[in-house]
Amino acid sequence: MSTRSRAASGSGSGSGAAAGRPASSGAATPAPAGGSFLAQPLRAGRLAAYAGLFVFGAVVGAAGALVQGGFFPAGLLLALVGAAGAFYGGARAVGTKAGAVAPAAGWLVVVMLLTATRPEGDFLFGADLGSYGFLLGGMAVAVMCATLGQGSQPSAPAARLGK
């Protein structure tokens, strides 16, 4: 059990934050009410939101794959901006970083399926700059949106924390 979780539960030895007493200024601050994604229970509404975001990401990936090749410079930018909007919008809608991962996973599954050639020799992505820009740029945008900080900053004075 970490110091933060002991302080939040009030069961740590010497944490100074017993059930009825406020924590001293030197004690660790308790974790936010929501906690991390893994600490939150997976409810039906949250699961439905992630499934909907997965499907939305898949639709954005398929549309982006068609648009980026049709109108090269503007289509590529439009496809990447659409993907960024889906990823960041999912994170803001759900309020967790996993909200950005769900549409990114749907986008990645569809785009990877569309990169495979068919037995007839047909393919959707050619070996050109636009296709590689869409694949690598979309993955980079997904990573950026999934790692953006969603948590609130601690409410402490402007001085260094821990002093």
Side-chain angles (χ1 to χ4, degrees), residues 147-161:
T147 57
L148 283 175
Q150 289 289 335
S152 62
Q153 296 293 322
S155 59
R160 290 182 10 198
L161 298 176

Side-chain angles (χ1 to χ4, degrees), residues 53 83-95 99-100 103 145:
L53 287 171
F87 305 154
Y88 187 71
R92 297 296 290 179
V94 178
C145 290

Side-chain angles (χ1 to χ4, degrees), residues 5 12 21 23 30 38 49 58-59 61 63 65 68 105 115 144 150 153 158:
S5 60
R21 293 181 288 161
L38 296 175
V59 169
Q68 64 85 22
T115 59
M144 284 187 278
Q150 289 289 335
Q153 296 293 322

Side-chain angles (χ1 to χ4, degrees), residues 116-149:
T117 59
R118 295 181 41 192
E120 296 87 13
D122 298 335
F123 56 90
L124 188 59
F125 289 101
D128 59 347
L129 184 63
S131 296
Y132 287 121
F134 179 65
L135 292 171
L136 298 176
M139 289 179 201
V141 166
V143 169
M144 284 187 278
C145 290
T147 57
L148 283 175

Side-chain angles (χ1 to χ4, degrees), residues 35-73:
S36 71
F37 168 69
L38 296 175
Q40 296 175 359
L42 192 60
R43 296 189 175 99
R46 185 175 299 272
L47 187 62
Y50 291 141
L53 287 171
F54 182 87
V55 170
F56 180 63
V59 169
V60 168
L66 296 173
V67 168
Q68 64 85 22
F71 313 104
F72 170 61

Side-chain angles (χ1 to χ4, degrees), residues 83-120:
F87 305 154
Y88 187 71
R92 297 296 290 179
V94 178
T96 63
K97 292 179 184 180
V101 174
W107 181 90
L108 185 65
V109 166
V110 166
V111 169
M112 287 298 127
L113 288 175
L114 292 175
T115 59
T117 59
R118 295 181 41 192
E120 296 87 13

